[in-house]
Amino acid sequence: MLRYLIIFVAVTNFFATGMYVVNPGPQYPPTKGEVWPKPQYEKKEDKYFTHNSSFIITPTNYTCDILNKAIERYAFTVRALHNMARRSRKNKPHRHRQVRGAPTTEKYEEVHRTHALQKMEIVLTSPCEELPHLNMDESYSLTIDRISILRSESVWGALRGLETWSQLFYLTDNYTQLRINKTHIMDYPRYKHRGLLLDTSRHYISVSNILKTLNAMAMNKLNVFHWHIVDDQSFPYQSEKFPNLSALGAYHSSMIYTHEDIQKIIAYATERGIRVLPEFDVPGHTRSWGVAYPDILTKCYDKKNVIGLGPMNPINNATYTMLGQLFEEIQEWFPDKYLHVGGDEVELNCWKSNPELQDYMAKHNVSAYQLHAIFMQNVIPLLQNKSLPIVWQEVFDEGVPLSSDTIIQVWKNQWVNTMVKILEAGHRLIFSASWYLDHIKSGGDWTDFYIADPRLMVYNATGNDSLLDNIIGGEACMWGEVVDDANVINRVWPRSSAVAERLWSASLAASYRARKDALTDARHRLEEHTCRMNRRGIAAQPPNGPSACVTHIHQ
C-alpha cells in the first residue's frame, strides 16, 4: 500500500511542479513464489513451509529414467536456493533488511523444524512414454503441504508439475529463509504446440547455448524446439550421405552440428519433454547447398548474363533424388513425427529469368507460382509415410494440394484472414506472425507478444468457435541475422516467456480494464521469473525497467 501511495505522490508532484519524483527501488517489485506461465487453477494460502536438507521426493506407481533425472535436477535447483538462504544466515544480520514477521536468525532453527516440508510424492498413473509428441498429456495436479502430492497421468505432466513446484519456492526479503506456501494447483496447457524457432544458419549457435535454450524452454513450459538449422548463408548440418554440404557450405569446420551433437540435443530435449522439430527449407533459402551442389539450384539471369544462383531447380530430377536421400537420413536422426520442409519466400523472378524454365513454363502453360506448387507437390511425397509435413503459409497461399495431416505455419501480414482460410479448408495451423523476436521496439516490448492470441483473433473476426481447435499452437521465432552466441540468450529471454504464457495459460479477459490489470500483474511476475532464470544460468535481460536480482550470496 505504501508503494502505491508513493507512486500517487510522485504523479501528483508532476502535475503540480512539472517534475517526476523518482523513488529508489525496482520499477515493478517482483512477486514471490508466483508461477510462470500462470496455472489454469491455483489456490494459495497464507500458511507457509520451509525447506531443509532432509526433504525427499518419492515417485510412486510408475517411474523411469526421464522422471528420475528430472527429480534429481529439480531437487538440485531447490537446494541451490536453500543454500543461498543458509549462506545469508551466516552473514552478519546488518547486511539485510529485516522482514516484518520473519524470524530472527536465532529463532530460525525452531521455526524451521516446526514448519518444514517432509516429502513430495509423485503419483504417475501410466507408464512413461519414450518420446514427447504432439498429443502428449501435460496436465497435472499439485498439492503443497507437509507431505506434498504431484499427480499426473503422463511423465510429461510430471515434468511440468516439477517445474511448477520449483517455482513456488521463494526467498524472504532478508534472504534467510526459503519458503513455499500451502497451495493447490490443477493445470494443463491451452495449446499443445508451444514452440521456439532458432535459426542456426545466419549465425552459428553453439551446442552449449542450444542446451541453455532448452533449459529455458522447460522453465517456460515450451515443448517444441523448431530448429531452423540451415539457410542461404551456411549449411552447418553435417550429413553422412552428403558430407560436402557442410564441408563446403558451413562457415567453418568448427561451426557444424555432427550426428553426435544432434543426438545430444535430442536426448537433452527429450528429458525435458521438448520435441526437436528440424526444418530444411526448400526450394528457397538454399544458396548454401549450391556451394557443393550448384546443379540442384537455378541459374538466375539478367538478360543473357548469369548473375548468380537462386532457388532449387524444380525441373531437375537430381534435385528430388538428392532431397529424397537427405530426408531419409534426417528421418533416421530426428525421431519426431513431423518434418518442416519450408516453402517460403521463393525468388520467383529468378525462375522467370531462366531460359530453361521459361521454355518449360511456356510448354506446360504454368506460371512461376504454379511452378512452386509443382515443386512442393513433388517434395512432400518424398517424406513417404515416415514423417508428416509442416510448411510455411506460402505453400497454402499458392494453392498446393495438401493432405489434411499437413500443418501450416502462419507468419505473414493479414494473418487473421489467412488463418480463417486455412481453418475453413480443414487444416491445422501454428501461429507466429505476432511473435517475431527479431522485431525489436524497446525494452518491455514483450507486452506486444503477451496480448497476441491467435484463437481470440479468429473468434473476433468470425464469431465461430468451431474453427478454434485446429489452431494447435504457435511459435516465437528468433531469426539469426543479428544474434549469435554473444546475445542470443538475452534476446530470446524473457521475451519468449510472454509467448509461453499466452500459449499455456487461460486467455486474457476481453475488457480493457481486465487486460490492463493482467498486464500489470504479469509485469511483477515476470520480474520474479526473469530473476529465477538468471539464478539458473539463463542470462535473461531485464523485462521492464530498473530492478535488481540477487543471484549469489557468498560465504
Side-chain angles (χ1 to χ4, degrees):
M1 180 61 72
L2 178 60
R3 171 74 181 171
Y4 296 108
L5 178 60
I6 292 171
I7 293 173
F8 172 77
V9 171
V11 173
T12 303
N13 286 341
F14 172 74
F15 286 113
T17 67
M19 295 184 294
Y20 279 117
V21 177
V22 178
N23 295 298
Q27 183 175 1
Y28 292 95
T31 53
K32 288 190 173 295
E34 294 298 325
V35 178
W36 193 286
K38 196 175 185 68
Q40 301 289 346
Y41 171 83
E42 179 180 25
K43 182 180 180 181
K44 186 176 289 188
E45 299 182 21
D46 288 338
K47 181 179 180 180
Y48 68 85
F49 304 94
T50 57
H51 178 273
N52 65 23
S53 56
S54 64
F55 176 80
I56 60 171
I57 303 174
T58 305
T60 64
N61 288 23
Y62 296 97
T63 189
C64 57
D65 284 346
I66 291 176
L67 181 57
N68 291 334
K69 288 179 180 178
I71 290 171
E72 184 177 347
R73 285 197 310 275
Y74 285 107
F76 176 84
T77 295
V78 174
R79 280 200 304 272
L81 280 177
H82 173 84
N83 289 336
M84 283 184 69
R86 179 182 56 80
R87 288 191 292 270
S88 186
R89 292 195 301 275
K90 287 185 176 180
N91 289 340
K92 294 180 180 179
H94 72 264
R95 292 186 61 182
H96 306 287
R97 291 185 295 113
Q98 183 65 32
V99 179
R100 182 181 301 173
T104 63
T105 303
E106 292 77 15
K107 294 182 179 179
Y108 174 80
E109 293 299 333
E110 177 184 350
V111 175
H112 190 60
R113 286 193 297 271
T114 304
H115 299 291
L117 293 171
Q118 291 184 356
K119 68 175 180 177
M120 180 167 69
E121 296 180 354
I122 300 180
V123 183
L124 183 59
T125 60
S126 298
C128 296
E129 296 175 302
E130 293 184 2
L131 292 169
H133 54 89
L134 176 63
N135 295 310
M136 60 183 168
D137 183 357
E138 298 172 275
S139 62
Y140 67 92
S141 65
L142 176 63
T143 299
I144 301 299
D145 212 320
R146 292 192 70 184
I147 297 178
S148 302
I149 297 177
L150 168 59
R151 184 182 300 273
S152 177
E153 294 186 6
S154 81
V155 67
W156 318 119
L159 295 184
R160 307 303 176 231
L162 279 166
E163 178 59 47
T164 292
W165 170 77
S166 71
Q167 293 187 17
L168 287 168
F169 284 95
Y170 60 95
L171 292 163
T172 54
D173 287 347
N174 60 7
Y175 297 94
T176 60
Q177 277 193 38
L178 180 62
R179 294 180 177 179
I180 187 170
N181 283 63
K182 186 173 182 179
T183 308
H184 181 61
I185 288 173
M186 297 184 67
D187 203 9
Y188 55 88
R190 185 161 169 250
Y191 292 92
K192 56 188 176 183
H193 183 119
R194 307 180 308 281
L196 171 65
L197 179 150
L198 188 63
D199 170 9
T200 59
S201 173
R202 276 56 179 255
H203 285 91
Y204 173 81
I205 305 299
S206 64
V207 172
S208 62
N209 264 340
I210 291 176
L211 299 184
K212 285 183 181 179
T213 298
L214 293 169
N215 282 336
M217 290 177 65
M219 287 188 68
N220 290 272
K221 297 187 175 72
L222 293 174
N223 66 357
V224 180
F225 174 54
H226 178 166
W227 194 354
H228 188 87
I229 192 168
V230 301
D231 210 291
D232 284 323
Q233 288 75 16
S234 73
F235 198 102
Y237 168 84
Q238 188 178 60
S239 168
E240 290 182 352
K241 291 186 176 181
F242 303 98
N244 280 341
L245 282 170
S246 60
L248 300 179
Y251 285 130
H252 187 265
S253 59
S254 66
M255 296 181 176
I256 58 173
Y257 303 104
T258 65
H259 189 191
E260 291 73 22
D261 292 332
I262 292 169
Q263 286 179 315
K264 181 178 183 178
I265 289 166
I266 291 172
Y268 200 88
T270 298
E271 289 174 0
R272 287 152 181 78
I274 297 170
R275 300 162 52 204
V276 178
L277 171 66
E279 180 185 355
F280 286 78
D281 194 357
V282 294
H285 293 281
T286 51
R287 182 61 185 84
S288 63
W289 303 51
V291 182
Y293 298 94
D295 291 344
I296 68 171
L297 302 186
T298 304
K299 293 178 180 178
C300 309
Y301 284 77
D302 181 11
K303 298 180 180 178
K304 294 185 179 181
N305 299 317
V306 176
I307 58 173
L309 297 175
M312 288 182 167
N313 189 327
I315 63 172
N316 183 354
N317 289 334
T319 302
Y320 302 110
T321 300
M322 180 180 177
L323 283 175
Q325 294 176 17
L326 185 64
F327 285 163
E328 187 176 17
E329 176 184 277
I330 293 165
Q331 289 166 326
E332 290 176 3
W333 291 9
F334 291 87
D336 197 78
K337 185 64 177 175
Y338 286 87
L339 177 60
H340 204 306
V341 294
D344 65 314
E345 294 186 319
V346 181
E347 184 50 69
L348 299 181
N349 285 332
C350 177
W351 283 352
K352 293 176 183 179
S353 76
N354 183 282
E356 183 184 15
L357 293 185
Q358 289 173 354
D359 291 343
Y360 181 91
M361 288 186 282
K363 181 178 179 180
H364 294 86
N365 192 29
V366 296
S367 66
Y369 287 102
Q370 291 169 315
L371 205 57
H372 182 202
I374 291 169
F375 180 90
M376 298 307 297
Q377 282 181 270
N378 289 333
V379 163
I380 290 174
L382 297 176
L383 302 180
Q384 301 177 28
N385 294 322
K386 297 178 182 178
S387 300
L388 296 173
I390 301 179
V391 296
W392 295 105
Q393 73 176 71
E394 287 95 322
V395 179
F396 175 84
D397 293 341
E398 291 166 16
V400 178
L402 298 170
S403 70
S404 59
D405 290 330
T406 303
I407 296 174
I408 298 161
Q409 187 161 3
V410 175
W411 72 278
K412 297 180 73 175
N413 293 333
Q414 298 182 332
W415 53 80
V416 176
N417 290 336
T418 299
M419 285 195 290
V420 172
K421 290 177 183 178
I422 292 169
L423 296 169
E424 289 179 342
H427 291 293
R428 292 172 298 169
L429 68 83
I430 52 181
F431 177 77
S432 292
S434 297
W435 295 327
Y436 267 43
L437 301 174
D438 53 316
H439 296 177
I440 301 172
K441 290 184 177 179
S442 65
D445 64 351
W446 63 268
T447 57
D448 293 337
F449 305 147
Y450 191 80
I451 62 176
D453 187 331
R455 287 181 180 166
L456 190 59
M457 294 176 192
V458 170
Y459 181 77
N460 287 341
T462 65
N464 183 359
D465 59 5
S466 67
L467 300 173
L468 304 185
D469 285 345
N470 273 349
I471 306 175
I472 62 172
E475 293 179 355
C477 297
M478 186 68 262
W479 298 105
E481 285 85 353
V482 292
V483 293
D484 60 10
D485 256 7
N487 68 339
V488 65
I489 297 296
N490 57 44
R491 185 64 59 84
V492 172
W493 307 104
R495 296 163 77 231
S496 291
S497 301
V499 180
E501 179 149 304
R502 187 52 44 240
L503 290 171
W504 180 281
S505 306
S507 61
L508 290 173
S511 73
Y512 170 80
R513 180 57 185 267
R515 292 164 73 88
K516 184 178 178 181
D517 290 346
L519 266 176
T520 300
D521 173 72
R523 287 184 188 277
H524 293 279
R525 290 189 297 108
L526 193 54
E527 286 289 343
E528 178 184 14
H529 188 56
T530 300
C531 184
R532 184 186 291 138
M533 286 192 281
N534 275 277
R535 285 173 176 165
R536 298 194 199 177
I538 308 301
Q541 69 180 18
N544 299 303
S547 61
C549 175
V550 177
T551 57
H552 300 285
I553 294 175
H554 300 290
Q555 295 280 34

